[in-house]
Amino acid sequence: MTQLPSAAPTIATEPGQTEPAFRLVAVAIEARILSGDIQPGDTLPSETNLAETLGVNRSTVREAIRALEQNGFVRRETGRKKLFAAVPQSRDISRRLKTAMVLDHVTFEELWEAMFALEPAAARSAAQRRTDDDLAALDANLAQMRLALHDSDVLTDLDIAFHHLVALATGNRAIQAARLPISELFYPPFLAVISRLNAAERLLFAHEKIVEAIRDQDSRQAQDWMEKHIQDFQRGYELANLDMGTPAALPRAGHDKQ
Amino acid sequence: MTQLPSAAPTIATEPGQTEPAFRLVAVAIEARILSGDIQPGDTLPSETNLAETLGVNRSTVREAIRALEQNGFVRRETGRKKLFAAVPQSRDISRRLKTAMVLDHVTFEELWEAMFALEPAAARSAAQRRTDDDLAALDANLAQMRLALHDSDVLTDLDIAFHHLVALATGNRAIQAARLPISELFYPPFLAVISRLNAAERLLFAHEKIVEAIRDQDSRQAQDWMEKHIQDFQRGYELANLDMGTPAALPRAGHDKQ
DNA sequence: GCGGCGATTATCGTCGGACAATAAAGTGCG
DNA sequence: CGCACTTTATTGTCCGACGATAATCGCCGC
C-alpha cells in the first residue's frame, strides 16, 4: 500500500528541495522491508510491478534498486533474476570500511593500536560468555593450526579465523563489527612477517594459552595472554626491521566464504 | 582512456557469468578516481559524456552512478547538478554500521562493553599523542559543559563531542572508525539516564580529570579515569533500574514512546 | 574593467517504448 | 513423479524525448 505521492508531497523530506523520485522509491522499498511488510529472504515484486505500484517509470525503480543493493537491503543471487529482500549486515559494511581506511592511508601502527584495545577485551569477554560450541570451534582451529605450522598461507587464514572465533565467542556484535575490518587489514601482513621469522610455534603457543583460559573461563588470563599475543605482533614487526608507519593495503584476493 | 570493452572481455571478472554493464561502468569510474585520473573534488564528466566515452547508454551510466553514490565515490551537493568525485570516508560508513547494528538488535550491554575496550585505549593514546590544538579543543569543550550543566540536550551533544575529541587526539583513524558508530548509539540513551540522575557534575569531573591527564601526557591516568568514567555509565544505568539487555535504537527526534 | 543580470545552453530527472537474452513457470510425456 | 520442452515473465540494455533548472555566456551599466 506504500504509494508514492504523485502530486501531494505527503513524504516531505526535511530540505525544501524536492527529493528525486528514485530516492523516494528507495526509501519506500526500504520502509517496506523494515516494517516487515516484505520479510528478509522474500522475493521482491518485479521491476515493472514496482514501477506500476509506485507510479513511476521502470528506469526510476532500477536506479532505486541499484542504491538499495549497495545498502544491503536487496541482493540478487548470481545468475538468478529474482531479487531478494535483506537487511544490511555489518559484515558487508566491513568491506567498505576497509577500503575507506586504506584510501585514508591508515598505518599499521594505528591498526595495531586498535587491535591492542579490542582483542584483549574480546578475549576477556569470550572467557566469560563462551559456549561449548565456541570452545569446540576454537579447539578445531588449534588442531588445524598444528598441522599447518609450515604453510604460511594456511596459517594466515587460520590465525584470522582464530581471532574471529574468539570475537564470536563474546557474543558481542558491537565488538565483532568494530574489529572485523581492522582485523582483516591487520593480520595478513603481520602474519607474513611472523612466518618469515619462523615464529609459528610461538603463535600457536599463545593461541593455546588463550583457548585454555577461555576454556577455564578465566577472563583475566585470557585478556593477559591476548595482550601479550598482540604485543608479539609488534615485536615481530620490529625484529623484521619493518616500519609500522607504512599505510596498510588491501590483502590479496578476498575469499568469499559462505 | 578508460574504455569499456565492447567485445573483448579485457576486464574479465572472476565469475564465468558476464557482469552487467552498469557494474563494469561503476568499477571503471571508480578506477579512474582511485588511479587519480579524476581527483577527489573534481567534477565528473556529464552522464551523456560518460555514456559516449564508455560506449553505453546513459541509463546504464545512471545506474552505475547510483551505486557509486552509495559507496561514497561520487557525491552531489544538494540542489546542484554537477557531480563530484570523492573517496569513501569512514565517517559516512558509520551511519550504515549504526543501522546494521540496530537492525541486529545489538544491546546496550554490547555497546557498553565495546566502549569499555575502546574509550580507555583512546584516552591513553590521546595522552601520548595530543597536540596543543587537541588540548585547546578539549578545554573549550569543558568550558562549554560547565555552562550547560542544567541543559540535558546540550550536555549530551557536548559529551559526545568530548569523547570524539579524545578520539581525534589519538590521531588513530582505526580507533576513530571503530568507535564512531558505537559511540553514536551508546551515548545518547546513557546520557539521558545520567542527566535524570543529576549526575552532570560527576560527568564533568571525570572529563576534567581525563583532560588533565591528557594535558600532562599521563597515559596511565588518562586510561584509568576514562575507564572509571565508562564504568560510571553502567552504574548509572543500574541505579536507574534500566535493563542493559534492551536493544539500542537510532537516536532520532520524534519517536513515539509511551 | 568589472560585477551583476537576463538570455542561452547543458545537464539532470523522468518518462515511454522497444528488444534480446534468459530465468521462471507451465505443460505434456513417458 | 521426474524430466524435457514450450511459453511467459523479467531483467539488462538501448533509443528517443521533454520539462525543469543549474551552469554558462554575453551584454549592459557603472
Side-chain angles (χ1 to χ4, degrees):
Chain A
M1 302 299 116
T2 320
Q3 185 120 16
L4 205 68
S6 49
T10 41
I11 310 178
T13 44
E14 318 123 11
Q17 297 297 121
T18 54
E19 288 279 307
F22 66 81
R23 194 152 309 158
L24 295 180
V25 169
V27 305
I29 297 175
E30 185 180 316
R32 278 213 219 169
I33 294 173
L34 289 179
S35 75
D37 184 5
I38 302 176
Q39 293 276 329
D42 288 0
T43 75
L44 264 72
S46 72
E47 294 173 358
T48 318
N49 187 320
L50 283 170
E52 285 167 3
T53 307
L54 298 170
V56 298
N57 191 273
R58 189 161 80 97
S59 312
T60 307
V61 171
R62 299 198 104 239
E63 291 189 34
I65 289 177
R66 291 305 144 244
L68 289 172
E69 264 175 1
Q70 296 302 317
N71 280 1
F73 278 104
V74 304
R75 51 180 74 254
R76 195 187 310 281
E77 299 174 19
T78 51
R80 297 271 154 273
K81 270 188 179 171
K82 301 178 71 171
L83 206 59
F84 294 92
V87 147
Q89 303 288 319
S90 54
R91 209 168 307 113
D92 306 324
I93 298 167
S94 166
R95 244 189 75 261
R96 309 235 202 112
L97 247 184
K98 271 198 295 183
T99 59
M101 287 196 287
V102 168
L103 293 177
D104 207 13
H105 308 293
V106 170
T107 67
F108 285 121
E109 188 172 15
E110 291 172 83
L111 295 175
W112 180 86
E113 198 174 49
M115 288 318 252
F116 188 68
L118 286 168
E119 296 290 52
R124 178 182 57 216
S125 176
Q128 292 168 202
R129 298 211 230 301
R130 103 283 191 291
T131 66
D132 289 347
D133 285 351
D134 294 325
L135 205 55
L138 285 166
D139 279 330
N141 180 279
L142 287 182
Q144 284 184 271
M145 188 170 272
R146 288 191 194 96
L147 300 175
L149 281 179
H150 55 290
D151 188 336
S152 167
D153 286 341
V154 179
L155 205 66
T156 301
D157 288 345
L158 284 173
D159 185 88
I160 293 178
F162 174 83
H163 289 278
H164 186 61
L165 287 173
V166 172
L168 281 182
T170 66
N172 186 319
R173 291 154 295 179
I175 289 182
Q176 287 163 20
R179 67 170 291 290
L180 188 56
I182 300 174
S183 149
E184 288 178 351
L185 286 181
F186 172 80
Y187 287 112
F190 272 73
L191 285 164
V193 171
I194 294 295
S195 58
R196 217 180 303 153
L197 293 173
N198 279 342
E201 279 84 0
R202 192 177 169 83
L203 185 87
L204 175 61
F205 180 73
H207 283 201
E208 282 170 338
K209 282 296 190 183
I210 292 165
V211 172
E212 191 183 312
I214 290 176
R215 183 191 322 278
D216 300 343
Q217 303 195 294
D218 184 340
S219 54
R220 184 77 239 162
Q221 283 287 312
Q223 178 172 0
D224 287 350
W225 274 106
M226 182 63 91
E227 200 163 282
K228 285 180 199 160
H229 183 42
I230 301 296
Q231 275 170 329
D232 249 22
F233 276 95
Q234 186 190 30
R235 225 169 51 95
Y237 224 65
E238 282 169 1
L239 281 173
N241 232 16
L242 293 170
D243 182 11
M244 295 262 294
T246 34
L250 287 171
R252 296 286 86 218
H255 309 283
D256 282 306
K257 109 179 175 178
Q258 273 86 15
Chain B
M1 301 290 109
T2 319
Q3 186 123 15
L4 203 68
S6 48
T10 40
I11 310 178
T13 43
E14 317 123 11
Q17 297 297 119
T18 53
E19 287 279 307
F22 65 81
R23 193 152 311 161
L24 295 179
V25 169
V27 304
I29 296 175
E30 184 180 317
R32 278 213 219 170
I33 295 172
L34 289 179
S35 75
D37 184 7
I38 302 176
Q39 294 275 330
D42 288 0
T43 75
L44 266 72
S46 71
E47 294 173 357
T48 318
N49 187 319
L50 284 170
E52 285 167 3
T53 308
L54 298 169
V56 298
N57 191 272
R58 187 161 79 98
S59 313
T60 307
V61 171
R62 298 197 104 238
E63 291 189 34
I65 290 177
R66 292 290 95 77
L68 288 172
E69 263 175 1
Q70 296 304 315
N71 280 2
F73 278 104
V74 305
R75 53 177 75 254
R76 197 186 310 281
E77 300 173 19
T78 51
R80 296 273 153 272
K81 269 185 181 170
K82 301 179 70 171
L83 205 60
F84 294 92
V87 147
Q89 303 287 319
S90 54
R91 211 167 306 114
D92 305 324
I93 299 168
S94 167
R95 244 190 75 261
R96 313 267 181 80
L97 206 46
K98 271 197 295 180
T99 60
M101 287 196 286
V102 168
L103 293 177
D104 208 13
H105 308 294
V106 170
T107 67
F108 284 121
E109 187 172 15
E110 291 171 83
L111 295 175
W112 180 85
E113 197 174 50
M115 288 318 252
F116 188 68
L118 285 168
E119 296 291 51
R124 178 182 57 215
S125 177
Q128 291 167 203
R129 299 211 229 301
R130 105 284 190 290
T131 65
D132 289 347
D133 285 351
D134 294 324
L135 205 54
L138 285 166
D139 280 330
N141 180 280
L142 287 183
Q144 285 184 271
M145 189 170 272
R146 288 190 195 98
L147 299 176
L149 282 180
H150 55 290
D151 189 335
S152 168
D153 286 340
V154 178
L155 205 66
T156 301
D157 289 345
L158 284 173
D159 185 90
I160 294 179
F162 174 83
H163 289 277
H164 186 61
L165 287 174
V166 172
L168 280 182
T170 67
N172 186 319
R173 290 153 296 179
I175 289 182
Q176 287 163 20
R179 67 171 292 289
L180 188 56
I182 301 174
S183 146
E184 288 178 349
L185 286 180
F186 172 80
Y187 286 112
F190 272 73
L191 285 164
V193 173
I194 295 294
S195 57
R196 218 179 305 153
L197 293 173
N198 279 340
E201 279 85 0
R202 191 177 170 84
L203 186 87
L204 175 62
F205 181 73
H207 283 201
E208 282 170 339
K209 283 296 190 184
I210 292 165
V211 172
E212 189 183 316
I214 290 176
R215 183 190 322 277
D216 300 343
Q217 303 196 296
D218 184 340
S219 54
R220 186 77 242 163
Q221 282 287 313
Q223 178 172 0
D224 287 349
W225 274 106
M226 183 64 91
E227 201 164 283
K228 285 179 201 159
H229 183 43
I230 301 295
Q231 276 170 330
D232 249 21
F233 277 95
Q234 187 190 28
R235 225 168 52 94
Y237 225 65
E238 283 169 1
L239 280 173
N241 231 15
L242 293 170
D243 182 10
M244 294 263 294
T246 31
L250 286 172
R252 186 78 180 144
H255 260 323
D256 45 333
K257 72 170 181 181
Q258 271 80 22

